[in-house]
Amino acid sequence: MRRIEVHLRRGETCDLVLAAIRHYDPVDFSIVEPQQEDRLVINVLVRNSKSQKLVDVIQAALEDESDWRLNVIGIDVSLPRLKSEEEATESRNTQAIREEIVNDIDKGAVLDRDFVILVVLSTVVAAIGMNSGSVAGVIGAMVIAPLLGPILAFAMGAALGQGELLSSAAKTLGVGVAVAFVSAFALAFVIDVDLAQTELTSRAEVRLDSLALALAAGGAAALSVAKGQNSGLVGVMVAAALLPPGAAIGLFAGVGEVALAARAGLLLTLNVACLVLAALLTFRLRKIRPRSWLEQQNATRAVRINLASWAVLLVLSAVLIVYFDLGEKISFGA
């Protein structure tokens, strides 16, 4: 259940908003008169299954107005409990509304000093962990890596056709990968890189299980966010597909192993493609789309372009594997 709070001016628009609220059969609603003149506050308790539609209708009714605000507040507990059949319906329709999802994702895609610092620290930990054969070190690095946000933001930007979100997410992800490379490259001149460590050299192998991990991580992360659940643990899976190969590129390049660095770069590229594809398809399957018809058409076009682009990238990567004889390091099994 959610509480929708609408602040607006008195007038005909109020009647439209109240008609929409009554149409979607709220659990309860009330009208409050604040101290400001010619103002109203409408508080609505609405079931999760109807909250997105009601928010969209209210926004459509108010889009020509300039002085209004709509707040959406989640409710953890409401007593007395709904009837058993209503609770069953609510559990099946538990999903964050579009605005909640975008708000959460947008925060994770911010490129700031903290993001850069976390990427540097997680890269150093991952690089040292791989070089020493410490699985615990690699896992610890993935816990603190902030790479989930830009991946989900890119997929959400494509799903909603929001070019600004797409570009900001791409910028954040690109900077993150570049910072990871530079950090690992510099670290290669400080430590003795051990090319006998399988934790490190395995990042130069393109394996089906690695790609499956990336696909599963992208889908699970998008589903967790769509359902309004904590995606922190899923973020570790996403970081597992990005951070180790990103750090390995820098280490290999730092010791002059260009071929190994190229293979690690190929693995990173394939993992990014799989993550974005899985997240994008999950958002579409969860029917996370823009509100207006025109925006939906633009979003559909953006989704098709992105799907085609990432699919072409996967095909080109496969061609590179065969043409440049990278197959010697390709493993399709354990």
Side-chain angles (χ1 to χ4, degrees):
M1 188 182 298
R2 289 183 176 87
R3 179 161 72 92
I4 298 176
E5 187 180 84
V6 188
H7 298 249
L8 72 169
R9 291 183 179 183
R10 294 176 182 270
E12 295 181 0
T13 306
C14 291
D15 297 332
L16 292 175
V17 172
L18 288 171
I21 292 171
R22 293 189 179 97
H23 175 75
Y24 284 99
D25 188 25
V27 176
D28 196 3
F29 75 95
S30 61
I31 302 175
V32 180
E33 296 186 3
Q35 293 183 349
Q36 295 172 293
E37 293 184 2
D38 298 325
R39 300 287 295 177
L40 286 178
V41 178
I42 306 175
N43 292 306
V44 188
L45 289 179
V46 63
R47 296 168 180 81
N48 290 330
S49 57
K50 299 182 179 181
S51 57
Q52 182 69 77
K53 293 180 180 179
L54 181 56
V55 167
D56 288 346
V57 171
I58 292 176
Q59 287 186 87
L62 296 172
E63 61 185 357
D64 293 329
E65 300 289 329
S66 59
D67 189 10
W68 61 275
R69 181 159 299 281
L70 189 153
N71 301 320
V72 179
I73 304 165
I75 297 177
D76 295 327
V77 179
S78 179
L79 299 174
R81 299 177 65 179
L82 299 174
K83 297 179 181 179
S84 58
E85 60 269 18
E86 290 180 323
E87 288 186 342
T89 301
E90 285 292 275
S91 63
R92 290 194 301 269
N93 291 279
T94 299
Q95 176 165 306
I97 66 173
R98 182 196 316 110
E99 290 74 12
E100 291 173 331
I101 299 172
V102 173
N103 184 62
D104 290 341
I105 287 178
D106 196 43
K107 293 178 182 177
V110 174
L111 178 58
D112 56 13
R113 182 177 60 182
D114 292 339
F115 177 85
V116 174
I117 291 174
L118 283 174
V119 171
V120 172
L121 293 177
S122 58
T123 301
V124 170
V125 174
I128 294 175
M130 290 187 296
N131 192 60
S132 61
S134 172
V135 177
V138 177
I139 295 175
M142 292 184 292
V143 171
I144 62 176
L147 299 176
L148 173 63
I151 286 290
L152 288 180
F154 191 93
M156 178 59 72
L160 297 180
Q162 293 186 358
E164 184 177 351
L165 184 58
L166 265 173
S167 60
S168 64
K171 178 182 177 182
T172 302
L173 182 60
V175 170
V177 172
V179 169
F181 169 78
V182 172
S183 301
F185 183 81
L187 188 63
F189 294 93
V190 178
I191 64 175
D192 293 327
V193 178
D194 186 2
L195 297 179
Q197 288 290 347
T198 57
E199 275 295 317
L200 178 59
T201 56
S202 64
R203 312 303 173 182
E205 300 176 6
V206 180
R207 301 162 53 105
L208 281 182
D209 53 0
S210 299
L211 302 184
L213 170 64
L215 287 170
L223 184 59
S224 296
V225 171
K227 291 180 69 65
Q229 298 175 351
N230 189 341
S231 58
L233 293 177
V234 182
V236 177
M237 294 176 60
V238 172
L242 297 178
L243 188 62
I249 297 172
L251 290 179
F252 290 141
V255 295
E257 293 288 344
V258 179
L260 290 176
R263 295 186 182 109
L266 178 61
L267 175 61
L268 177 62
T269 302
L270 290 172
N271 283 348
V272 170
C274 291
L275 285 167
V276 174
L277 278 172
L280 178 55
L281 288 174
T282 301
F283 284 142
R284 293 294 289 184
L285 290 175
R286 297 294 295 187
K287 299 181 179 180
I288 299 175
R289 299 175 183 176
R291 177 170 55 88
S292 69
W293 179 86
L294 181 59
E295 290 174 334
Q296 289 180 11
Q297 299 307 305
N298 293 334
T300 299
R301 185 161 49 249
V303 168
R304 290 173 179 171
I305 292 173
N306 274 274
L307 289 177
S309 300
W310 290 111
V312 169
L313 179 60
L314 289 174
V315 172
L316 288 177
S317 298
V319 172
L320 287 174
I321 291 173
V322 176
Y323 186 78
F324 290 102
D325 196 26
L326 297 179
E328 59 182 346
K329 285 291 184 181
I330 307 304
S331 175
F332 293 97

